[in-house]
Amino acid sequence: LLYTIKFECVTMATALQEIKLEHSVASFPRTHVRVDTNCGPVSVTILGERSNTRLAPLITLHDFGFDHEAQWKTLENSGEEAIRFFSQFVTYHIDLPGCEEDAGDMTGDYSDMDDLVNIITHVRSALNITGSMVLMGAGAGANIALRYMVKHTRHVLGAILVEITNDSETWVKWTQDKITDMVMKPSELVSVRSKTPGELVAGLLDKHFGRRSAPTPILTDSRRYLTERLLTSLNISNAMKYEQSFYKRTPIPDSQFTGKTVAPCLVISGRQSWRNDATIDVRAQLQLSGKDITLIEPSPSYLLPLEESTKHCSHAMMLFIQSIGLGLQTGLANPACVEETFKKVEKTLEMQDPILV
């Protein structure tokens, strides 16, 4: 059954009232480690108590132009629902090679997408992460998560894929559309080497925000924050290498999904995002496995769902992890609570016109 959720009418309060919550995700214990991988050393930020073996592991993967903090900060700060979500896990935020704060310039070519998948295997082994885990990725990070899930299905309990793309034509189509709709200035045709850091950052962020995006306050604030972070804390050159690796990717063929076992997935997209059509296509690929894959599009007006509809997204994530059997107090399966939650969803759908698909 594919659930269509109207967030405003579904409450989690009764089902979740027994969880002991921190005041905010920022108050969770955090440790930082370096892990040697096939792609070089990577930085991993661990959120939560690793000693609590009853919590499920959550591994996150960010998009190009971000580090883990820039990618997930808005979600972590979105209120009580986010606190409840992250309380179910020990979270391992992976910064892709050269994307961590204050990273030096990387030499040579960036690893391709299939090599980046193996970073998860190295982190899992080095940090002794056992049992099935939940993956959460955005953009290029979601593509890495998808590739890992196809290769290592038995290790994945579920996946949350934000703005996921798999085809090899998305960037070409978006570029053609951009060139058609604007007159490119001569200064924008010069080589990358001759551009200032500000110009490089602007070009990188155009690939997230688009040039035709309505300048809503949230988008304006998000772009300002990312611009400052790229200029002061992150390595622009490394971010661009990660970006190029993503655009050179080889798509995962339909044969990898047809009749195969894949983990349950929650797919999130913004309807105005240039990745929206590609995200819907990935959902169709995943459904070739015979599983229903839940897709949410928080509103027709949203370009970046994690930033513009954060609370709706965190609510959907909470419902999703219940649907895959994560308990509410311990991180263990609690089928009765899951069943009760989805009964509330079904009852809501009988009374309301759904807004999400």
Side-chain angles (χ1 to χ4, degrees):
L1 179 62
L2 176 63
Y3 289 95
T4 303
I5 305 168
K6 182 173 178 66
F7 290 107
E8 291 86 346
C9 301
V10 181
T11 176
M12 302 286 294
T14 301
L16 298 171
Q17 59 186 339
E18 294 182 357
I19 295 181
K20 182 179 179 181
L21 297 177
E22 298 285 348
H23 294 298
S24 69
V25 176
S27 64
F28 285 23
R30 287 177 189 259
T31 54
H32 304 275
V33 298
R34 299 280 285 181
V35 175
D36 290 326
T37 75
N38 58 306
C39 300
V42 298
S43 174
V44 182
T45 299
I46 304 169
L47 183 67
E49 295 284 358
R50 292 185 65 198
S51 59
N52 189 343
T53 58
R54 293 190 288 182
L55 297 178
L58 169 68
I59 288 185
T60 74
L61 300 150
H62 60 83
D63 203 356
F64 60 81
F66 294 76
D67 63 348
H68 80 274
E69 182 176 334
Q71 185 74 74
W72 309 113
K73 181 183 176 105
T74 305
L75 179 65
E76 288 188 4
N77 293 337
S78 63
E80 189 172 294
E81 200 86 85
I83 299 170
R84 296 185 192 282
F85 174 79
F86 283 104
S87 293
Q88 308 305 316
F89 300 103
V90 176
T91 300
Y92 299 85
H93 288 307
I94 296 177
D95 286 322
L96 275 298
C99 297
E100 71 275 15
E101 191 172 272
D102 299 325
D105 288 339
M106 297 182 67
T107 58
D109 294 331
Y110 205 80
S111 302
D112 65 32
M113 295 299 285
D114 287 315
D115 284 337
L116 293 175
V117 168
N118 293 325
I119 289 176
I120 302 174
T121 302
H122 283 273
V123 169
R124 182 181 170 91
S125 175
L127 300 181
N128 194 28
I129 301 173
T130 59
S132 297
M133 56 192 177
V134 174
L135 300 177
M136 183 165 70
N143 188 273
I144 295 170
L146 179 68
R147 291 171 187 273
Y148 183 90
M149 184 173 67
V150 169
K151 283 186 176 182
H152 306 283
T153 301
R154 66 188 181 89
H155 291 159
V156 182
L157 181 61
I160 299 170
L161 307 173
V162 184
E163 300 282 278
I164 171 72
T165 61
N166 181 40
D167 67 304
S168 59
E169 299 180 4
T170 302
W171 174 238
V172 175
K173 290 177 182 176
W174 185 85
T175 304
Q176 290 172 340
D177 186 45
K178 182 178 74 171
I179 293 173
T180 299
D181 287 359
M182 60 172 287
V183 177
M184 192 171 283
K185 299 176 183 178
S187 62
E188 293 176 299
L189 298 175
V190 298
S191 69
V192 166
R193 289 183 181 179
S194 65
K195 290 190 175 184
T196 66
E199 288 173 326
L200 293 175
V201 168
L204 193 63
L205 293 185
D206 280 344
K207 294 160 191 175
H208 292 295
F209 293 87
R211 295 199 174 192
R212 294 170 292 158
S213 307
T216 65
I218 292 177
L219 288 179
T220 300
D221 288 346
S222 294
R223 182 157 188 148
R224 184 185 299 116
Y225 168 74
L226 288 173
T227 298
E228 181 180 351
R229 190 148 182 81
L230 278 164
L231 287 174
T232 60
S233 302
L234 304 184
N235 188 301
I236 305 169
S237 174
N238 295 348
M240 294 182 69
K241 286 185 176 182
Y242 178 22
E243 171 205 357
Q244 291 305 311
S245 176
F246 174 61
Y247 290 130
K248 291 177 183 176
R249 70 192 181 279
T250 302
I252 306 171
D254 288 352
S255 60
Q256 294 293 313
F257 300 98
T258 306
K260 303 291 182 68
T261 301
V262 298
C265 297
L266 172 65
V267 181
I268 300 174
S269 180
R271 290 189 185 178
Q272 286 193 355
S273 169
W274 61 273
R275 287 170 166 163
N276 184 247
D277 289 344
T279 299
I280 293 172
D281 289 343
V282 172
R283 188 242 195 157
Q285 275 194 304
L286 288 165
Q287 287 180 314
L288 293 173
S289 67
K291 285 187 180 289
D292 284 323
I293 306 298
T294 304
L295 168 71
I296 67 165
E297 298 169 304
S299 166
S301 64
Y302 290 137
L303 178 72
L304 301 176
L306 284 184
E307 284 74 19
E308 296 180 273
S309 190
T310 317
K311 290 187 177 181
H312 287 175
C313 289
S314 60
H315 194 115
M317 292 174 184
M318 195 66 231
L319 287 173
F320 172 71
I321 64 170
Q322 283 188 286
S323 75
I324 59 177
L326 290 182
L328 301 172
Q329 282 185 279
T330 62
L332 300 177
N334 190 338
C337 193
V338 173
E339 182 179 356
E340 180 63 27
T341 299
F342 278 97
K343 281 181 180 178
K344 292 179 182 179
V345 176
E346 290 179 297
K347 186 174 181 181
T348 298
L349 296 179
E350 291 173 1
M351 299 183 296
Q352 303 289 339
D353 292 329
I355 58 171
L356 307 180
V357 179

